[in-house]
Amino acid sequence: MDSHFSPAYVQNLMQTLKASKIYTDLHNAAQTEISKNTIRVSELKKGVQTGLATSGWERKLRNVIYQYLQVNPLSIHPLATPPEHMKEPLLYLRKAQQAWEKRILKSLNSMCTELNIPLARKRPDKEQRDLLSRWTELGTDGPDLSQIRPVYAPKDFLDVIMALQNPNYNTGDSTGTYTLWGLVQLPLKLNDVNKLRLLYSDMAINQCQTGVDDVDIPPEMFDADRMKLGRKVITADHGPLAQEYAKKGCPISLRGDLWCQILGVIIDEFDVLYYEQLKSNVIAHDLLVDSLLYKDVKLTATNDDQYFVFEDFLYQILLPFTRDTDVLKHFGKNSASPPKSYIRGKLGDENFAVVYPPNGVIPFHGFAMYVAPLCYLYQEPVKLYYVFREIYTRYFFRLHSISSHPQGIVCLSLLFENLLQMHEAELFFHLKSVGCQPLRIAFKWLVRAFSGYLHSDQVLLLWDRVLAYNSLEILPVLAVSIFSFRKTNLLKVQSYNAAEAVLADLTTLQVIPLVQLSLFSK
């Protein structure tokens, strides 16, 4: 282990490894190597290490350590940093997130009271048998959703972000920054365009990309070379290699396997059993959040020409997800905290508090669209489930929690406003002058990582880069490029509704050329 890793970091890594399945598997594999007659006692250690490396265990261990480094980057915080500071160092943002969580929970409880329905109930045996019999057709005879409404929509969340203020910062003192003209009035540290160009240098205009026709190279030749290289990458089964390859996009037929390698998703019997346990929990108990998810799928995916065929598939992922307590781990690096409810009659007594829902995530309007594009990649619910869970707990949770993290929605919104003011000052101020702050339109794209707005193949090309660069910053870059692309028409609008109409349909857009032009043509 390199010397720049702190002892505490190495200790945490070792504890994580010891608690993981690979530790047991490695131990068993080492025992097998020791039992071989070819190893001399005098060279036992070296012989076991060589045997493990030859049989592929060294590579597997490297992949696991790599995944840990991806999810737990080296901390710049001092060792004595309190846990709440590790989650979010800025007190005013911690308070804002807590207030937002209370508001969401209050909205959920109000719905329970108004509709006289419990947060959770045990299903009668007949209902359980019925649900189990139609598990693959859950959309055909779902619950009555007429009274169910989303707990909140991205628009409500934007109103909260707009109201954020740093009590120690006077915007009037700030000269030379772009934040004054936008909706987000916070002095947060962001990457500038030069750092973004460096980060996304593999996407430069002179670099060929999967899914983009290049005038210099016949597409079929480039695609054939990419496929050949992609198969070699998959055979190598090395996470960092797959991630590097994905920087130029993944071929459609290889994307599912490449994403699994990047995310470290390997399905074994334990994973299948765990999913079946989550499914049995869905069968046994009915949660109010189930109805929220049903309603969300009906309002979004079912009304979308690209995703309506996956309606039943979506329920098989989203309903078990709400019961998955393993999702709670991500709250260790999330500014948010899992919401709690109290057993009836014990309100306020922490001894009777339970996390609700069990995974700690209350879905908002559009949540189902985090899963919908993945349905094109995986036919088996179990594999789709684990890939979605990994992507959510690495990236998407940051899109609906208040934090100062550079990948969080607050910084992404601010980055969008800064880049648009810098690249398209005339357009920004024209829209502002007609009562249309650009972020009001772009925010919903950012919160849903463009799912449901772009064509599905373009969403997947975009998400290739999220995984490849381990960053969500490409989302605001794309949002800026869309405003630039529609600039001519946007400069003619005289109202918010007119601007929204110009940007209503994004399904014809090609993501990668737009990002390239936005970053590398100025």
Side-chain angles (χ1 to χ4, degrees):
M1 194 65 72
D2 290 351
S3 57
H4 62 262
F5 288 94
S6 71
Y9 189 88
V10 175
Q11 189 180 1
N12 286 339
L13 170 58
M14 292 305 295
Q15 285 174 348
T16 304
L17 285 174
K18 284 181 178 178
S20 69
K21 186 175 178 292
I22 195 171
Y23 186 80
T24 311
D25 292 342
L26 262 175
H27 187 269
N28 293 338
Q31 296 277 30
T32 305
E33 292 295 329
I34 290 168
S35 65
K36 289 181 179 176
N37 297 327
T38 52
I39 298 180
R40 292 186 202 162
V41 176
S42 59
E43 296 180 349
L44 188 62
K45 183 179 178 182
K46 187 178 177 185
V48 170
Q49 287 175 339
T50 305
L52 289 174
T54 306
S55 55
W57 281 104
E58 183 182 4
R59 187 186 65 241
K60 289 178 183 176
L61 181 59
R62 284 177 180 272
N63 278 337
V64 171
I65 293 172
Y66 170 71
Q67 295 303 331
Y68 182 87
L69 293 172
Q70 290 289 96
V71 178
N72 305 281
L74 285 170
S75 176
I76 56 169
H77 301 294
L79 290 177
T81 304
E84 65 270 18
H85 284 228
M86 298 289 280
K87 283 162 66 75
E88 171 50 58
L90 299 177
L91 177 61
Y92 75 98
L93 290 181
R94 286 207 303 275
K95 285 183 174 176
Q97 174 61 30
Q98 288 163 6
W100 174 236
E101 287 166 15
K102 283 181 184 172
R103 184 172 152 187
I104 295 170
L105 205 52
K106 185 180 178 183
S107 176
L108 196 67
N109 286 324
S110 296
M111 202 185 316
C112 285
T113 307
E114 285 171 31
L115 306 180
N116 196 26
I117 50 177
L119 283 171
R121 68 175 180 91
K122 193 173 189 321
R123 298 186 199 273
D125 290 346
K126 183 179 180 302
E127 189 180 327
Q128 289 189 34
R129 288 193 297 273
D130 172 57
L131 196 62
L132 187 59
S133 69
R134 57 184 183 83
W135 178 252
T136 55
E137 300 172 344
L138 290 172
T140 51
D141 189 23
D144 176 20
L145 303 171
S146 55
Q147 301 295 309
I148 300 294
R149 62 179 186 273
V151 175
Y152 73 97
K155 180 178 166 293
D156 307 313
F157 190 38
L158 176 59
D159 290 340
V160 172
I161 289 173
M162 283 165 47
L164 293 174
Q165 283 188 325
N166 183 339
N168 304 315
Y169 173 71
N170 181 1
T171 54
D173 295 340
S174 174
T175 55
T177 66
Y178 296 100
T179 54
L180 293 176
W181 304 104
L183 292 175
V184 184
Q185 297 282 317
L186 299 174
L188 298 173
K189 189 171 172 56
L190 307 170
N191 277 337
D192 61 21
V193 72
N194 292 323
K195 285 184 180 173
L196 291 171
R197 283 173 184 153
L198 202 59
L199 174 65
Y200 293 106
S201 57
D202 283 291
M203 291 182 68
I205 292 171
N206 62 353
Q207 302 277 337
C208 294
Q209 307 285 326
T210 295
V212 180
D213 292 337
D214 191 278
V215 289
D216 299 326
I217 302 174
E220 54 280 0
M221 187 189 296
F222 176 72
D223 291 345
D225 286 347
R226 284 292 285 174
M227 283 292 290
K228 191 175 174 183
L229 180 59
R231 289 193 191 99
K232 284 184 179 177
V233 169
I234 289 170
T235 304
D237 189 22
H238 190 43
L241 197 61
Q243 190 168 31
E244 193 62 32
Y245 175 86
K247 287 181 177 179
K248 293 188 177 181
C250 301
I252 295 168
S253 60
L254 305 181
R255 182 176 278 129
D257 289 337
L258 287 164
W259 282 21
C260 281
Q261 284 190 9
I262 294 169
L263 297 166
V265 173
I266 303 166
I267 307 298
D268 59 20
E269 314 87 66
F270 174 80
D271 297 314
V272 175
L273 283 171
Y274 186 74
Y275 174 82
E276 287 299 322
Q277 180 60 53
L278 295 174
K279 175 180 164 182
S280 67
N281 291 346
V282 175
I283 302 297
H285 291 90
D286 178 26
L287 306 182
L288 174 59
V289 288
D290 296 348
S291 294
L292 289 175
L293 288 168
Y294 268 105
K295 185 83 169 189
D296 191 47
V297 172
K298 297 287 185 192
L299 291 173
T300 56
T302 310
N303 285 329
D304 192 310
D305 290 345
Q306 301 179 86
Y307 301 118
F308 73 93
V309 292
F310 300 125
E311 181 184 356
D312 297 323
F313 212 16
L314 289 169
Y315 299 131
Q316 292 174 57
I317 307 306
L318 289 164
L319 297 180
F321 182 70
T322 62
R323 275 79 172 170
D324 192 346
T325 53
D326 206 58
V327 176
L328 293 171
K329 288 178 186 172
H330 88 279
F331 283 103
K333 59 180 187 290
N334 184 354
S335 61
S337 300
K340 290 182 178 177
S341 186
Y342 295 89
I343 292 169
R344 194 185 293 274
K346 303 290 184 180
L347 185 64
D349 188 337
E350 287 300 317
N351 294 320
F352 294 91
V354 291
V355 171
Y356 181 88
N359 71 345
V361 181
I362 295 175
F364 59 89
H365 175 55
F367 190 87
M369 299 309 284
Y370 287 155
V371 185
L374 304 177
C375 296
Y376 281 104
L377 301 187
Y378 305 101
Q379 273 66 58
E380 323 91 85
V382 176
K383 188 176 276 191
L384 171 55
Y385 178 79
Y386 285 105
V387 169
F388 162 64
R389 187 179 78 176
E390 195 62 34
I391 291 176
Y392 178 81
T393 54
R394 281 197 197 192
Y395 305 108
F396 291 163
F397 77 87
R398 298 201 183 278
L399 298 176
H400 58 92
S401 47
I402 298 168
S403 79
S404 59
H405 194 282
Q407 304 289 316
I409 190 64
V410 179
C411 281
L412 297 180
S413 299
L414 188 56
L415 182 60
F416 164 76
E417 293 193 318
N418 285 2
L419 290 175
L420 190 62
Q421 287 174 67
M422 184 172 74
H423 286 308
E424 301 289 359
E426 181 192 7
L427 176 59
F428 190 99
F429 291 115
H430 168 72
L431 291 172
K432 191 172 183 297
S433 70
V434 298
C436 173
Q437 278 280 6
L439 184 60
R440 285 198 179 277
I441 292 175
F443 189 77
K444 58 182 180 289
W445 304 342
L446 300 176
V447 170
R448 283 185 12 189
F450 282 93
S451 180
Y453 297 106
L454 298 168
H455 196 275
S456 58
D457 66 330
Q458 296 299 308
V459 173
L460 293 171
L461 282 168
L462 178 65
W463 291 7
D464 278 344
R465 274 65 179 195
V466 171
L467 271 61
Y469 293 95
N470 199 30
S471 171
L472 290 162
E473 287 164 306
I474 196 168
L475 302 180
V477 171
L478 175 60
V480 169
S481 68
I482 291 170
F483 274 79
S484 294
F485 187 67
R486 298 267 168 94
K487 177 181 178 178
T488 306
N489 288 332
L490 286 171
L491 285 172
K492 296 174 185 173
V493 304
Q494 295 300 318
S495 69
Y496 174 85
N497 289 343
E500 200 169 40
V502 169
L503 295 164
D505 183 11
L506 309 182
T507 53
T508 57
L509 299 180
Q510 300 286 306
V511 164
I512 305 308
L514 281 176
V515 170
Q516 288 177 319
L517 286 169
S518 183
L519 275 182
F520 300 105
S521 67
K522 306 284 180 178

